[in-house]
Amino acid sequence: QIQLEHSGGGSVQAGGSLRLSCYISGGLGSRNYLGWFRQVPGKEREGVAAIYTRDGTTYYTDSVKGRFTISQDNVARTAYLQMDALKTEDTAMYYCGLKYDGSPYPPLTEIGYAYWGQGTQVTVSS
């Protein structure tokens, strides 16, 4: 059974950095998408970044391009989200998710993700 476990997150001042980690346990094939999403109360979950595990192709939403970096360590079975130059509007609950290759939906769309982590809070203060 696949499980995703978060670590990282916390509070930081604007302009600071944080790194989120997502450890994947259980059976994991070589063709998956690992994604990071975020959600604030009253809003839908937003796709932030995703990576195709087969070839490392990455995807970012426009608001984080140049500031966030998604990466993977296949040996450690861990996905990372390095967040730099954080802004107050980055404050949210962040979730990692996994979906299998073959989904008809784009990588930054919540639909199609079959597994989710428990979420970790990121708070950026001014």
Side-chain angles (χ1 to χ4, degrees):
Q1 182 177 356
I2 293 177
Q3 291 185 321
L4 281 64
E5 183 176 345
H6 291 282
S7 61
S11 299
V12 67
Q13 288 192 325
S17 298
L18 286 172
R19 189 176 81 157
L20 306 182
S21 300
C22 177
Y23 171 73
I24 302 104
S25 63
L28 183 65
S30 60
R31 300 184 181 187
N32 305 286
Y33 289 89
L34 296 173
W36 286 97
F37 291 72
R38 63 188 180 188
Q39 188 171 25
V40 297
K43 292 190 176 181
E44 295 184 352
R45 193 171 293 188
E46 172 194 24
V48 174
I51 186 167
Y52 183 41
T53 60
R54 183 184 182 191
D55 61 11
T57 301
T58 56
Y59 308 83
Y60 296 95
T61 192
D62 286 344
S63 63
V64 307
K65 285 179 180 177
R67 301 189 298 120
F68 289 12
T69 304
I70 188 171
S71 61
Q72 60 175 343
D73 183 333
N74 290 333
V75 175
R77 301 172 66 88
T78 301
Y80 303 97
L81 184 67
Q82 177 67 39
M83 304 184 293
D84 299 316
L86 282 160
K87 303 177 180 180
T88 55
E89 51 262 44
D90 295 318
T91 295
M93 184 71 79
Y94 283 71
Y95 300 87
C96 70
L98 182 150
K99 75 170 182 175
Y100 296 115
D101 192 9
S103 169
Y105 302 101
L108 295 181
T109 301
E110 180 182 4
I111 298 175
Y113 279 79
Y115 302 94
W116 293 96
Q118 76 279 15
T120 186
Q121 179 67 37
V122 171
T123 302
V124 184
S125 58
S126 59

